[in-house]
Every structure is written in C-alpha cells, then in structure tokens.
C-alpha cells in the first residue's frame, strides 16, 4: 500500500478464500464496511480494562473514540443509533436536531457499558478501572457478557451429579 508521506498512490492486494471472494468484491465496489464493535463492545471494554491499557473512565472513552465505530457512527448515525441505544439521554445523541454528536454518544455509551460491567461484578467501583477476578477470567477465556449474566442468574445445581450434566 502507499505511504501518505511518500507516495501519491498505493496498491492493495486482497488474498482470501474463495467463499469470501464475493464479499470483498462488494466492498471494493463501494459497499461500506461497518463496525462489528457494537456486538462485542462490552467484552472489548472489559479486555482493555483487564489489559490495564485504560486505567480510568476518561482514558477508556478516549480509546472508544479512536475506534472504527467512532468513524462509522458519524457517517451513518441512524444505523448506529439503532445498534447502540443509550439509556437516559432522551433524544439519542446521534439523532439530535443539530446533527449527530458523536462525542456525546461515545461518552454516554462508554459510561453505560462500564455500569453494565460493574453491575455484573466484572469490574470494581472506584476512580481506577480494575477488573475483578471474575472479570479477568471472563476476559481471558472470552466468555461473553450475556453468558456471565446467564450463569449468575442460573439456579445452582443440587448435587455433584447435577453439576456434571452442565
């Protein structure tokens, strides 16, 4: 690929398996790429906290503002407003009368996700973001947030035989 500071143009070569060829042809033809982060946001934020790359809420929000999600929400605010509802904001920040406010959206989304992680017992409360032991295990073994919530709400098996069936 070209280097912006040195080259006027660049060449990209896409090497893929034949079953993915059509998808790449559609992308090249102009169909925009979309962020997959909304479907994995809770887990991604937990991974950042576990890795200790984001020591507090402001740095986590800055991290989120540097993602492809941040780029796409400004280009297609309607789609990302429906993919990422924000509680307690009244009018969604991406759908305001004065245009989309991506910064307010990403800040509110980050705070909402942190609250989810705290409520599920995956992070500790306080000014510093720290994972609990459960949060570390969930992140390191790629256990989805929904699965953690399901496990926390599932009734405990009565005996060892019952436990072996899980």
């Amino acid at each position: 690929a070209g280097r912006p500071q040195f080259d006027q143009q660049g060449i990209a070569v896409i090497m893929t398996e034949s079953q993915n060829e059509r998808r790449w042809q559609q992308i090249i033809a102009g169909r925009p790429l979309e962020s997959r982060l909304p479907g994995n946001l809770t887990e991604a934020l937990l991974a950042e906290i576990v890795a200790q790359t984001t020591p507090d809420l402001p740095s986590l929000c800055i991290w989120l503002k540097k993602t492809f999600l941040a780029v796409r929400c400004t280009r297609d605010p309607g789609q990302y407003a429906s993919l990422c509802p924000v509680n307690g904001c009244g009018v969604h920040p991406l759908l305001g009368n004065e245009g989309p406010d991506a910064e307010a959206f990403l800040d509110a989304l980050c705070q909402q996700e942190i609250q989810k992680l705290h409520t599920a017992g995956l992070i500790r409360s306080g000014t510093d973001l720290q994972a609990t032991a459960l949060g570390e295990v969930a992140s390191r073994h790629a256990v989805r947030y929904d699965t953690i919530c399901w496990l926390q709400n599932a009734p405990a098996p009565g005996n060892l035989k019952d436990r072996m069936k899980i």
Side-chain angles (χ1 to χ4, degrees):
R3 299 165 297 168
Q5 68 272 29
F6 301 114
D7 302 323
Q8 296 292 321
Q9 63 183 3
I11 297 173
V13 177
I14 300 171
M15 299 170 69
T16 187
E17 296 174 346
S18 57
Q19 67 260 25
N20 296 328
E21 182 179 356
R22 183 166 181 237
R23 177 176 178 258
W24 282 105
Q25 287 175 343
Q26 289 174 336
I27 291 169
I28 291 168
R31 189 179 116 219
L33 290 172
E34 298 298 343
S35 174
R36 297 270 181 136
L37 190 54
N40 303 303
L41 183 58
T42 309
E43 295 83 4
L45 295 178
L46 179 59
E48 292 300 316
I49 294 167
V50 168
Q52 297 178 338
T53 57
T54 53
D56 53 29
L57 182 60
S59 63
L60 190 63
C61 290
I62 289 169
W63 176 88
L64 185 58
K65 291 173 187 175
K66 293 179 180 180
T67 63
F68 188 52
L69 170 62
V71 172
R72 289 301 301 148
C73 78
T74 60
R75 302 250 169 83
D76 195 351
Q79 177 172 338
Y80 287 89
S82 66
L83 284 174
C84 304
V86 178
N87 301 327
C89 285
V91 175
H92 196 287
L94 293 177
L95 302 176
N97 290 336
E98 289 154 30
D101 186 347
E103 188 161 332
F105 161 65
L106 294 166
D107 284 337
L109 186 60
C110 191
Q111 290 175 10
Q112 178 176 294
E113 293 298 314
I114 288 300
Q115 184 58 45
K116 280 172 55 177
L117 290 169
H118 180 263
T119 301
L122 300 172
I123 61 171
R124 292 182 182 86
S125 58
T127 54
D128 293 340
L129 294 175
Q130 292 184 330
T132 62
L134 177 61
E136 287 189 27
V137 169
S139 181
R140 295 204 192 283
H141 295 284
V143 180
R144 302 227 2 124
Y145 169 78
D146 293 340
T147 303
I148 292 292
C149 291
W150 179 83
L151 288 170
Q152 289 174 331
N153 294 321
N159 61 42
L160 188 55
K161 269 188 178 176
D162 291 340
R163 289 178 192 254
M164 298 305 286
K165 291 179 185 176
I166 292 181

